[in-house]
Amino acid sequence: MTLKLIMIDLDETLLRKNKTYDEERFNRISEQLIQAGVTMCIATGNSYHKVVEYVDVEHHKNMYYATDNGNYLVHGGQITRAIGITPDLLREIATFIDEFEGFYIQISLGNQSYMRKVDSAGYERIRRYNNKLEMIDSFDEIDNGHLITKIAVMSDHSLEKNKVLARILNERFEAVNAVTSGDGWIDIYTAEGGKGSAVKYLQELLGISPEASMAFGDSLNDESMMKEVLYSVAMENADHDLADSCRFQVGSNEDQAVLTTLERYIIEGNLDFMEEYRIHHI
């Protein structure tokens, strides 16, 4: 099988824990794949203004960036697709989350992030993931003409407790999906969105089949895109619930296993070797 679409998550997938990766190697591999007719896409919960810190988007103009969990899609410096929830629904969700301690809310409009002063105890942790972060008094300041591409909740709690809150949010608010992400985050976005919706959008736009698509990820915010590709690949360090929904599992982000896998595909010219990494026949 020849690949036509490759989706790569950033945190804990391409990036090591210290937020570095082998950039020169990535650039070389990406250029080879794009020249071979493969569409490359970074699919991340990060906002676009943070992604540019990791990837030279001017150098990679032919790459897609499915940011805010796929809800803010950029290609060639242009916004290709943006979907989200209304400020009214944001305020309703925030009021509910405020009933619990240890959760700090940050929102994204795609090109700008905001957090309330009341959540300032989580500022330093949230700031690490945002290059354009503005403090406001209340989410009432967000104009009703805007779409919220992502609500990101930084948590002081365990992954299991975060999963409980995500499940409650999904049960209470039918218009959104809530999923756990890496490093103590919960991501909330429109039920029509998510990384899987970005995969489907690109497949339909470019005439690419699921059988010619591959995705790499580590957290449950990657699960929706795994359902849209034949080559669903969990990292060795992935959440076990994500691994359970993937057909393959490779090495860790620390070992740069994404790059090793793609290099092997380039060298061998086919995906037969992926059977070595198969964990589920689904």
Side-chain angles (χ1 to χ4, degrees):
M1 173 59 68
T2 300
L3 286 174
K4 291 296 181 182
L5 175 64
I6 298 174
M7 310 287 293
I8 305 174
D9 173 51
L10 279 181
D11 295 307
E12 306 296 323
T13 298
L14 178 62
L15 301 182
R16 303 180 182 98
K17 197 165 188 65
N18 65 3
K19 305 303 181 185
T20 67
Y21 68 106
D22 192 334
E23 188 170 356
E24 181 178 347
R25 190 177 169 200
F26 173 78
N27 291 345
R28 182 177 67 252
I29 291 168
S30 297
E31 288 171 6
Q32 288 179 280
L33 289 168
I34 289 172
Q35 288 174 7
V38 180
T39 296
M40 299 288 292
C41 180
I42 297 296
T44 176
N46 286 288
S47 296
Y48 184 70
H49 53 77
K50 182 64 176 179
V51 171
V52 299
E53 184 176 306
Y54 301 122
V55 182
D56 184 350
V57 297
E58 284 300 312
H59 180 72
H60 292 292
K61 288 183 178 179
N62 292 322
M63 191 175 292
Y64 283 86
Y65 301 91
T67 61
D68 285 341
N69 281 314
N71 304 314
Y72 193 80
L73 187 66
V74 179
H75 180 244
Q78 301 298 313
I79 302 169
T80 302
R81 176 177 179 256
I83 57 176
I85 65 172
T86 65
D88 284 341
L89 182 55
L90 156 68
R91 289 186 277 270
E92 186 178 346
I93 292 171
T95 298
F96 176 73
I97 293 174
D98 287 344
E99 297 178 13
F100 307 93
E101 293 185 0
F103 296 100
Y104 313 98
I105 302 172
Q106 170 246 311
I107 67 166
S108 176
L109 306 185
N111 59 355
Q112 177 69 53
S113 296
Y114 297 90
M115 67 179 293
R116 299 171 302 178
K117 293 176 183 177
V118 69
D119 293 309
S120 60
Y123 176 81
E124 291 302 327
R125 294 167 65 196
I126 291 174
R127 182 69 180 84
R128 291 203 302 264
Y129 290 89
N130 289 276
N131 291 349
K132 293 184 178 180
L133 181 63
E134 183 177 331
M135 301 292 287
I136 57 178
D137 291 318
S138 166
F139 289 138
D140 290 335
E141 296 179 36
I142 304 299
D143 188 270
N144 283 330
H146 290 295
L147 283 179
I148 314 304
T149 50
K150 185 185 70 170
I151 303 172
V153 183
M154 173 62 78
S155 167
D156 286 337
H157 305 285
S158 68
L159 174 61
E160 293 309 314
K161 286 188 176 180
N162 290 345
K163 288 181 178 180
V164 170
L165 179 58
R167 185 177 68 249
I168 294 171
L169 288 166
N170 285 326
E171 292 171 351
R172 189 179 183 93
F173 301 98
E174 294 182 358
V176 302
N177 281 333
V179 294
T180 53
S181 184
D183 202 20
W185 289 87
I186 301 168
D187 294 338
I188 307 166
Y189 48 83
T190 175
E192 299 175 354
K195 295 183 182 183
S197 73
V199 175
K200 290 178 68 175
Y201 176 84
L202 289 175
Q203 288 170 338
E204 293 172 3
L205 178 70
L206 303 171
I208 298 172
S209 69
E211 290 75 19
S213 305
M214 173 180 277
F216 295 90
D218 73 291
S219 298
L220 285 179
N221 67 340
D222 299 313
E223 185 176 28
S224 64
M225 69 176 175
M226 299 306 179
K227 297 176 180 178
E228 306 299 335
V229 304
L230 177 61
Y231 293 93
S232 51
V233 186
M235 306 303 294
E236 181 180 83
N237 50 286
D239 184 320
H240 63 85
D241 285 332
L242 178 75
D244 284 346
S245 67
C246 292
R247 294 181 177 88
F248 307 92
Q249 189 165 30
V250 295
S252 74
N253 60 322
E254 298 297 327
D255 296 332
Q256 297 288 271
V258 170
L259 300 183
T260 299
T261 303
L262 296 180
E263 279 177 332
R264 188 167 177 187
Y265 169 68
I266 290 170
I267 292 169
E268 300 197 12
N270 61 64
L271 290 162
D272 294 348
F273 71 92
M274 288 299 294
E275 288 304 313
E276 300 174 23
Y277 302 104
R278 184 179 286 277
I279 53 174
H280 296 299
H281 290 271
I282 53 178

